[in-house]
Amino acid sequence: MKSFLTDSALTNIVNSGAFGKGCYFVSFERDLNNEGEDQFQSIIVYGTIKVSDGRYYQVIIKINEGTLENMNIDVQFHNEIQMYKKIIPFLMSFNHHSTKHYTQLFPKFYSAIESDRDNLEKTMIVLENMHPQGYRLSENRLFLDFDHLASCLRAIAKFHALSYTAKNRDMNTFKRSIEGISSTAWDSNGQWVYPEKSLTIIGKRGLNRLLERDPAKYRNHKNVKKLIYLLDNGYNSLRQTLLSREPLAVLCHGDFCRN
């Protein structure tokens, strides 16, 4: 992998001006102490790129795993590349006083390579490593504490606010900017990539704990019954969730989780 990165892809990326005009690739030192955590849809490589003007860049390189066909990984990479190349610059282009609060929502995007289906493992995205700025994954993998949840919700709210700003300022360009985003959740037969029963199992994991804690209070609670119905009818619930409803529709991440 390192040979591929240094000898071809990274050399081309640096020499094309991604790290400054006139700079060329000198070296890439992989950081084996910081490998990707909980990754199963991509290979995550940490390292430092040195360029000819003497500067160093700490980066994260996401490489297509290329082995999980049912997960539509190539489409996911395509969507992410479109986000960094096209959509985020558009969302951040409005000269609004509040945009200064959004500068840390996204890592710096340096470059990307999108290969054809016969060379998916050469598809990659090169991003700023946010670790030096203090960003870390939560140590708790299953249940986040309130502070982490609140931080996540604030970040999502800021991201969604960018959609509202863009729609208000330039609805036509907003619509065009998201045309290249494709759904990754459904196959050609209209089925979700996971069995429907998995939605029920995952969803009821937390709900069952609530019922065990105080069955008399929650067993016949109207909202609990509504939630059970939604979980038992997983595919229909998902489709309803994905329908755009104006004026509240926004561009969503769709899979906001720890990894």
Side-chain angles (χ1 to χ4, degrees):
M1 183 190 305
K2 184 176 179 180
S3 176
F4 165 68
L5 290 175
T6 56
D7 294 344
S8 57
L10 288 183
T11 299
N12 293 334
I13 286 173
V14 175
N15 294 355
S16 67
F19 294 86
K21 292 183 178 180
C23 294
Y24 59 87
F25 177 80
V26 174
S27 65
F28 174 70
E29 185 65 30
R30 186 172 176 181
D31 182 2
L32 297 177
N33 294 320
N34 286 295
E35 291 300 281
E37 301 175 67
D38 296 344
Q39 298 294 324
F40 68 98
Q41 295 184 343
S42 58
I43 298 170
I44 303 295
V45 176
Y46 289 81
T48 301
I49 293 175
K50 181 181 179 181
V51 300
S52 56
D53 65 0
R55 286 180 295 172
Y56 294 83
Y57 295 88
Q58 295 187 60
V59 299
I60 290 178
I61 303 170
K62 299 180 67 173
I63 303 172
N64 193 337
E65 179 73 40
T67 58
L68 301 173
E69 294 184 4
N70 66 314
M71 298 297 296
N72 295 316
I73 304 300
D74 56 327
V75 180
Q76 293 192 44
F77 264 85
H78 170 78
N79 286 348
E80 186 168 357
I81 291 171
Q82 289 298 303
M83 278 291 299
Y84 283 113
K85 278 188 172 182
K86 184 177 180 181
I87 297 176
I88 290 175
F90 167 67
L91 293 178
M92 299 293 289
S93 67
F94 301 99
N95 293 320
H96 190 275
H97 71 277
S98 63
T99 56
K100 65 182 181 180
H101 301 297
Y102 296 94
T103 55
Q104 294 303 310
L105 269 183
F106 315 105
K108 183 180 295 182
F109 169 72
Y110 291 114
S111 189
I113 297 174
E114 188 169 10
S115 299
D116 56 44
R117 292 191 63 85
D118 294 329
N119 297 283
L120 291 180
E121 73 281 356
K122 293 186 178 181
T123 296
M124 65 167 61
I125 302 172
V126 184
L127 302 169
E128 171 190 14
N129 182 359
M130 301 291 280
H131 280 187
Q133 299 184 38
Y135 286 87
R136 297 290 187 277
L137 291 177
S138 165
E139 293 183 2
N140 195 325
R141 283 171 162 78
L142 294 180
F143 299 101
L144 296 181
D145 56 75
F146 176 82
D147 288 340
H148 276 95
L149 287 172
S151 178
C152 289
L153 290 174
R154 282 193 294 268
I156 294 173
K158 289 179 180 179
F159 178 50
H160 288 176
L162 291 173
S163 287
Y164 291 130
T165 301
K167 287 166 62 178
N168 179 262
R169 298 291 185 86
D170 191 346
M171 175 66 87
N172 291 332
T173 304
F174 175 77
K175 289 181 177 179
R176 288 196 299 269
S177 72
I178 63 177
E179 287 177 351
I181 299 297
S182 302
S183 173
T184 62
W186 308 90
D187 62 23
S188 58
N189 297 318
Q191 300 297 307
W192 199 42
V193 293
Y194 294 108
E196 185 171 13
K197 65 179 181 180
S198 65
L199 290 170
T200 305
I201 295 172
I202 294 171
K204 288 187 175 179
R205 182 179 62 181
L207 185 60
N208 288 338
R209 291 191 176 193
L210 182 68
L211 295 173
E212 292 170 1
R213 184 184 304 164
D214 195 339
K217 180 177 180 180
Y218 295 111
R219 181 67 63 183
N220 294 311
H221 194 286
K222 64 178 183 179
N223 290 332
V224 171
K225 288 184 176 181
K226 288 181 180 179
L227 184 55
I228 291 174
Y229 174 81
L230 291 173
L231 294 173
D232 286 340
N233 295 273
Y235 280 177
N236 287 332
S237 297
L238 273 177
R239 290 189 176 94
Q240 289 298 313
T241 301
L242 293 172
L243 291 177
S244 297
R245 295 178 176 86
E246 294 297 354
L248 300 179
V250 295
L251 178 65
C252 294
H253 185 289
D255 188 20
F256 198 87
C257 60
R258 181 186 178 280
N259 67 345

